[in-house]
Every structure is written in structure tokens, then in C-alpha cells.
């Protein structure tokens, strides 16, 4: 498979290595990135990246390839997706798919015009073995009707510090922490619920990565932990006195259109990190953790543990609990045969709208009703927006 890349950062640099291990014919024919942070890792593995181009248009005109991969900063995704779809290409974009509700509506208009089958998205946890087993247990009726969900994504201090130092620290580029980091998780539970979120409330702020907690202000000089993960574009050294406008903890409460409720909690300063869920249904309960690697399912009528599985990454270099490897296989199968993917661009948009509503609720200290957003989104996606405008003219 031949690919071209717009935005050769650390993420697509890593995925380039994963794809090349799975597909011996994998080739990067060219890329666009003025400062390709992922280039070094690829060249160290002996993977050629082809020619550097100044613009996406030059890249598309200059090369022939099977897949356009977008790893640019989030605020550039919409324009790069547009360029790819308008050129008739198959496009893979990293998450989050766009950074605002307005961009979500604009992307819906774009997909109404071009269709969404050619747009793949890197919501990688949908490909994870643990999530697939959870959905299989649900399909087998072991949970019954989903009633409520408790979920969280907590990350270690070194990773939280990365967010305070990287370009992702600015909402104008990333769309906010909940969107940038937790859209994976929100997408997963949207899928489990099988309905759209309707009402959203949220609270949070920044209490860990503040000047008072800086190690040097507590007589500690070792800052290595907080600089362990390298940053790329717009990287900075400051952590506790960062100019970031993102949160470092947040809790949200969601009610879905079908009445299912969920609580979701994230924190960027958890020394023993976990990424846990508990899905409680009318017939059973599923509890799991992507970091700690387990899935337990209990029967509600007799308390019997009917599923007990353990998971581990396929190698020490593997990220996302083995999901990247499965995603590479599935994307390759899509390019070769059109095989169905476990997640769609529409799933990504809906997870993003939920994340953005969480921040709207947090900032406004209010409950957000998403019904008007879904109505407008559907109108854009299905072309009814233009019909309504024509009737009112």
C-alpha cells in the first residue's frame, strides 16, 4: 500500500512503523510538514518517506498513492480532509476529526456532497481486542439493556506534563483536552449505548499543574519526569507555569436519548493510571480497564462471573494496547477490498460534539441540551438544510 502524509508528527511516524511491519509493500511516497517530528523515527527504522512537498496540492499532484493520511494539528484537519475528498482520494485522519461544533456542521455538509465511505478516522480504541470482546458480550445478550455507565481516562503525570508543553495545550489548536484526548473513550461508550447523547453537565479546571505544585517550589530539583515525553510543534519547557488554557481534571454527566446515563472522569496527574469502564445492564455488568488489561462480565441474577479475560500489548513498543496493529490491518483491508471498519467518520463527529458540549457545560455552569445541534447536524448531513433555506426564502 502506498500512502501520502500531511502532518508527519510523532503519531503518524509511529503508525508508519506499524503499517510497514504488517504490510511489506507499505510505502510512504511523500509528505507535507515544515517540521516533521516523526521523520527521525521512520528513518531510524529504515523506512523511506519519499519526497517533501510544500503544500498538500503539490503532494497530490506529484504522487500516485492509495491512501492520504492526515496527522496535522487538529485545527487543520477540516481543510486537509476537504482537499483529499475533493481530489477523489481515500482519506485517513487522526482524531479528533474537527475542533468545533461549527466545523462539525461544515464537515457534515462536505460528507453530504462526497459521502463518508472514503473517510477513515483514527479512533483506535474501537479496534482494540478488549472493546471488541465487550461488544461481543453485549451482542450475546449478557448485559441486557444498558442502564448506566461509569467510565474514566486517567493519565500519568509525565503524559499530563506533555499536554502542558505541547501545542495541544491551546484550545484554539486542539479543541480542548476532553476532545483531544478523551474523544476515544466517548466514542466507545456512544457505541455501547447505541444512542446519541442528549443532556450534558460538566465540572473541572486546573489544580495539579499550577505554580504552587512545581517541584522546585517544594525543594525538589528533579524535573526529568515532566519532560520524558517529547513535544513537537510549538513545544515549550514550562509545565507548572505553562500558558496552557486546558484543564487537568474534569467530570461530566451525560443522559442519552434512550435514557441511559453515564459519568465520565479524566485527570492528568494520576501516578497509577487507569482507563476503566463499568457498563451496568438489566441482565449483567461488564467491567474492564484498557491499561490494566482485563474484562470481567457478571450475571446479575446469580452473580456468576461469566467472562474473565486478560489482555497485554503484543510488544513493548506497542501503543494503545495492541489496537494500532489491528487498526493497520483493518485499514489495509479497507483499501484492498473495501472491508467494513468498526468506526466511521460519523461516529467521530458525534463523539466530538459530545466532548465539545462537555466543555460548553463546564465553562457555562449549565446543562447543555444537544437536541438543536443534532437537528442542525442531520440537516447538514442529509442536505435538508438547503431545502429548509429554499422554503424560507
Amino acid at each position: 500500500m502506498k500512502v501520502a502524509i500531511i502532518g508527519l508528527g510523532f503519531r503518524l511516524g509511529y503508525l508508519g512503523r506499524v503499517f510497514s511491519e504488517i504490510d511489506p509493500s507499505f510505502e510512504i511516497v511523500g509528505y507535507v510538514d515544515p517540521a516533521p517530528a516523526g521523520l527521525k523515527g521512520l528513518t531510524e527504522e529504515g523506512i523511506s518517506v519519499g519526497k517533501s512537498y510544500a503544500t498538500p496540492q503539490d503532494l497530490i499532484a506529484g504522487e500516485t498513492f492509495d491512501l492520504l493520511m492526515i496527522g496535522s494539528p487538529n485545527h487543520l484537519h477540516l481543510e486537509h480532509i476537504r482537499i483529499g475528498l475533493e481530489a477523489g482520494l481515500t482519506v485517513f485522519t487522526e482524531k479528533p476529526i474537527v475542533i468545533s461544533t461549527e466545523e462539525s456542521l461544515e464537515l457534515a455538509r462536505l460528507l453530504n456532497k462526497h459521502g463518508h465511505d472514503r473517510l477513515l478516522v483514527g479512533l483506535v480504541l474501537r479496534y482494540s481486542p478488549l472493546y471488541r470482546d465487550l461488544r461481543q458480550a453485549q451482542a450475546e445478550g449478557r448485559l441486557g439493556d444498558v442502564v448506566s455507565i461509569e467510565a474514566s481516562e486517567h493519565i500519568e503525570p509525565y503524559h499530563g506534563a506533555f499536554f502542558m508543553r505541547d501545542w495541544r495545550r491551546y484550545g484554539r489548536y486542539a479543541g480542548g483536552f476532553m476532545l483531544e484526548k478523551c474523544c476515544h473513550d466517548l466514542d466507545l461508550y456512544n457505541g455501547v449505548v447505541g444512542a446519541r447523547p442528549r443532556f450534558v453537565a460538566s465540572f473541572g479546571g486546573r489544580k495539579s499543574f499550577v505554580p504552587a505544585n512545581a517541584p522546585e517550589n517544594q525543594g525538589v530539583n528533579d524535573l526529568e519526569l515532566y519532560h520524558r515525553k517529547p513535544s513537537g510543534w510549538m513545544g515549550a519547557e514550562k509545565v507548572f507555569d505553562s500558558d496552557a488554557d486546558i484543564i487537568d481534571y474534569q467530570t461530566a454527566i451525560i443522559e442519552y436519548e434512550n435514557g441511559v446515563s453515564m459519568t465520565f472522569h479524566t485527570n492528568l496527574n494520576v501516578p497509577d493510571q487507569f482507563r476503566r469502564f463499568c457498563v451496568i445492564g438489566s441482565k449483567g455488568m461488564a467491567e474492564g480497564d484498557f491499561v490494566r488489561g482485563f474484562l470481567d462480565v457478571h450475571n446479575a441474577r446469580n452473580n456468576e462471573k461469566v467472562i474473565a479475560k486478560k489482555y497485554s500489548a503484543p510488544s513493548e513498543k506497542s501503543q494503545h494496547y495492541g489496537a494500532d496493529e489491528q487498526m493497520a490491518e483493518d485499514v489495509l483491508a479497507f483499501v484492498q477490498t473495501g472491508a467494513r471498519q468498526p468506526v466511521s467518520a460519523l461516529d467521530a463527529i458525534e463523539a466530538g460534539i459530545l466532548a465539545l458540549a462537555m466543555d460548553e457545560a463546564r465553562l457555562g455552569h449549565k446543562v447543555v441540551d444537544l437536541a438543536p445541534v443534532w437537528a442542525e447536524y442531520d440537516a447538514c448531513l442529509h442536505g435538508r438544510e438547503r431545502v429548509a433555506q429554499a422554503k424560507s426564502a
Side-chain angles (χ1 to χ4, degrees):
M1 180 172 70
K2 294 184 177 181
V3 307
I5 291 177
I6 301 174
L8 184 52
F10 290 119
R11 175 61 181 161
L12 286 197
Y14 170 74
L15 284 183
R17 299 196 295 277
V18 173
F19 273 85
S20 65
E21 290 174 359
I22 291 173
D23 178 15
S25 70
F26 178 81
E27 179 185 356
I28 301 172
V29 299
Y31 69 93
V32 178
D33 194 322
L39 180 61
K40 181 180 178 182
L42 289 169
T43 55
E44 287 177 347
E45 295 289 331
I47 301 171
S48 173
V49 297
K51 182 180 177 181
S52 172
Y53 286 87
T55 69
Q57 291 85 351
D58 292 341
L59 172 62
I60 292 170
E63 301 290 347
T64 300
F65 48 89
D66 304 301
L67 182 68
L68 177 66
M69 299 187 75
I70 297 172
S72 50
N74 304 346
H75 70 293
L76 300 175
H77 285 183
L78 178 61
E79 184 58 24
H80 292 157
I81 291 169
R82 184 194 311 276
I83 291 169
L85 292 180
E86 290 181 347
L89 301 171
T90 300
V91 180
F92 171 94
T93 182
E94 260 303 318
K95 58 79 193 169
I97 196 162
V98 290
I99 67 164
S100 68
T101 300
E102 293 73 24
E103 285 194 355
S104 299
L105 299 176
E106 182 58 29
L107 181 56
R109 297 184 189 100
L110 192 64
L111 297 181
N112 170 256
K113 180 178 180 182
H114 297 283
H116 61 83
D117 293 340
R118 288 187 290 114
L119 180 57
L120 312 179
V121 63
L123 282 169
V124 67
L125 290 191
R126 282 264 191 157
Y127 299 82
S128 66
L130 192 163
Y131 185 69
R132 291 188 173 197
D133 288 345
L134 169 64
R135 295 307 307 274
Q136 180 62 33
Q138 184 180 11
E140 292 170 354
R142 296 183 183 275
L143 305 181
D145 295 329
V146 176
V147 176
S148 60
I149 299 175
E150 176 188 301
S152 58
E153 181 184 9
H154 297 324
I155 67 174
E156 289 181 302
Y158 86 91
H159 202 169
F162 161 78
F163 280 98
M164 294 300 153
R165 295 169 24 246
D166 191 63
W167 60 263
R168 295 166 176 85
R169 68 188 184 273
Y170 298 126
R172 63 184 180 275
Y173 298 135
F177 179 82
M178 190 64 79
L179 177 68
E180 158 61 27
K181 189 69 173 71
C182 301
C183 62
H184 282 303
D185 307 79
L186 302 180
D187 168 62
L188 296 185
Y189 307 123
N190 283 355
V192 168
V193 172
R196 286 172 171 172
R198 173 66 191 274
F199 297 105
V200 183
S202 186
F203 307 93
R206 189 161 151 198
K207 288 183 176 292
S208 294
F209 291 102
V210 295
N213 294 329
E216 60 267 30
N217 291 338
Q218 299 179 9
V220 179
N221 294 321
D222 184 10
L223 289 171
E224 186 277 332
L225 167 68
Y226 301 104
H227 295 84
R228 183 181 302 169
K229 185 175 174 66
S231 58
W233 177 61
M234 295 198 70
E237 293 300 309
K238 293 183 177 181
V239 177
F240 293 88
D241 53 351
S242 165
D243 62 350
D245 56 24
I246 59 171
I247 54 88
D248 61 23
Y249 73 99
Q250 190 168 345
T251 304
I253 306 171
I254 304 96
E255 182 177 77
Y256 286 83
E257 290 177 339
N258 60 0
V260 173
S261 66
M262 179 171 78
T263 60
F264 185 80
H265 179 209
T266 187
N267 192 296
L268 284 67
N269 192 45
V270 179
D272 187 11
Q273 67 177 352
F274 55 95
R275 198 169 196 171
R276 176 185 175 276
F277 62 83
C278 183
V279 179
I280 303 172
S282 58
K283 295 181 180 180
M285 175 183 106
E287 184 178 8
D289 192 313
F290 291 94
V291 174
R292 297 173 182 177
F294 75 90
L295 172 66
D296 292 337
V297 177
H298 284 80
N299 184 300
R301 292 182 171 84
N302 57 20
N303 293 347
E304 179 186 359
K305 184 184 288 189
V306 294
I307 294 176
K309 289 192 173 185
K310 300 291 185 182
Y311 304 86
S312 60
S315 73
E316 291 184 0
K317 293 183 178 180
S318 179
Q319 299 178 11
H320 294 114
Y321 335 111
D324 285 307
E325 290 80 359
Q326 185 61 57
M327 183 178 74
E329 290 184 10
D330 284 12
V331 169
L332 178 63
F334 177 86
V335 171
Q336 293 176 339
T337 69
R340 184 176 179 181
Q341 301 294 289
V343 65
S344 72
L346 304 185
D347 295 323
I349 295 173
E350 293 186 12
I353 287 174
L354 173 55
L356 292 161
M358 289 177 176
D359 279 337
E360 180 184 351
R362 175 179 62 84
L363 292 168
H365 290 94
K366 63 182 180 180
V367 175
V368 174
D369 181 356
L370 281 172
V373 176
W374 296 131
E376 189 172 3
Y377 168 70
D378 286 334
C380 295
L381 184 62
H382 301 298
R384 295 195 298 268
E385 180 186 46
R386 292 171 186 162
V387 173
Q389 289 173 348
K391 288 182 178 179
S392 63

